[in-house]
Amino acid sequence: MSGLFSRTPKSETDAVFEPHGVIPVHVGIIMDGNGRWARARGLPRAAGHRAGTKNIRRVLRESVRIGIKALTVYAFSTENWARPKEEVDHLMRLISQSIQEELDDLDANGVRILHSGRLEGVNPRLQEEIRYAIERTRHNDTIVLNVAFNYGGRAEIVDAIKKIIQEGIPPEAVTEEVVSQHLYTPELPDPDLIIRTGGEFRLSNFLIWQAAYAEFYSTPVYWPDFDEAELRKAVAVFQHRDRRFGKIKDTER
Ligand code: IPE
Ligand code: IPE
Ligand code: MG
């Protein structure tokens, strides 16, 4: 079928969100563009990070409404340590502040918090806050909020290899499944959809193992402006993608 009667939209911008269509179980978000959002308003970068941090709640709430079961948000990469100390310090304070301010409410709303990343090198008090948030929300099951903080995809694979060796698993027993089970969050399925705001088309070391068959969606919208409608648009595009996982469709056999 083609033309007028085709079920495939002319372009992805025509995709319409279908609440009863396929909903991605796990969505990863590369929350980029905070700095440029601030700059466009004549504000310091810190204001962009503050607005970006606030936006997580809005997108989380909409994710629950849509029926997404897990959200992994890229908050701080292993490469972000190379930014000016002032900005790094500000980002660390923001993470700590949001845990303190939001934890009660997140917990009351059934949000389970997970962390992907290394805790070594992080301020001990912040480490403690992160461990506490995970422990306190571990029985919640409305949605998972996995915070990729001090996270690098390559570091994650290196850490998995170390754990596998330490456990004495013999080479012939190392399978893709075994590697997956030794990553930071073995309880999460691979992401179905990865969204990048801020307009770039790269993963920047985000979930590089798990993203093998994720659908990638990039939007020029800066993270603080990425609202409910933008999330629905991303899911609509996902719903119109044809995921083949290397196979051919039954109808084309
Ligand atoms: C993303 O926004 C947040 C972090 C990387 C911590 P940026 O700070 O990268 O914003 P831009 O890309 O400079 O606009
Ligand atoms: C990716 O954004 C990291 C986070 C969103 C935390 P960056 O701004 O660090 O990525 P690059 O430098 O543009 O690749
Ligand atoms: Mg950036």
Side-chain angles (χ1 to χ4, degrees), residues 31-37 45 49 74-76 80 83 87 91 222:
M31 310 184 291
D32 200 17
N34 292 349
R36 282 163 285 165
W37 179 91
R45 291 179 59 85
H49 292 313
Y74 205 5
F76 191 88
N80 289 147
R83 294 189 179 198
E87 178 159 344
L91 287 165
Y222 296 142

Side-chain angles (χ1 to χ4, degrees), residues 18 23 39 41 45 55 67 77 80 86-87 92 107 111 114 126 147 171 191 194 210 223 226:
E18 292 164 18
I23 303 296
R39 190 180 182 173
R41 282 163 179 72
R45 291 179 59 85
N55 195 42
S77 76
N80 289 147
E86 193 194 344
E87 178 159 344
M92 295 296 148
D107 189 24
V111 179
L114 291 178
L126 180 51
V147 183
I194 291 183
Q210 300 91 325
W223 171 246
F226 188 88

Side-chain angles (χ1 to χ4, degrees), residues 29-34 36 45 73-77 79-80 83 148 151 196-197 200 202-206:
I29 306 185
I30 301 170
M31 310 184 291
D32 200 17
N34 292 349
R36 282 163 285 165
R45 291 179 59 85
V73 293
Y74 205 5
F76 191 88
S77 76
E79 288 73 33
N80 289 147
R83 294 189 179 198
Y151 175 85
R196 180 163 188 144
T197 62
E200 315 293 348
R202 55 176 171 256
L203 286 172
S204 300
N205 208 7
F206 184 57

Side-chain angles (χ1 to χ4, degrees), residues 53-65:
T53 306
K54 246 186 81 188
N55 195 42
I56 297 174
R57 283 311 297 272
R58 172 162 72 167
V59 170
L60 182 67
R61 215 176 305 121
E62 187 64 7
S63 299
V64 172
R65 281 192 208 111

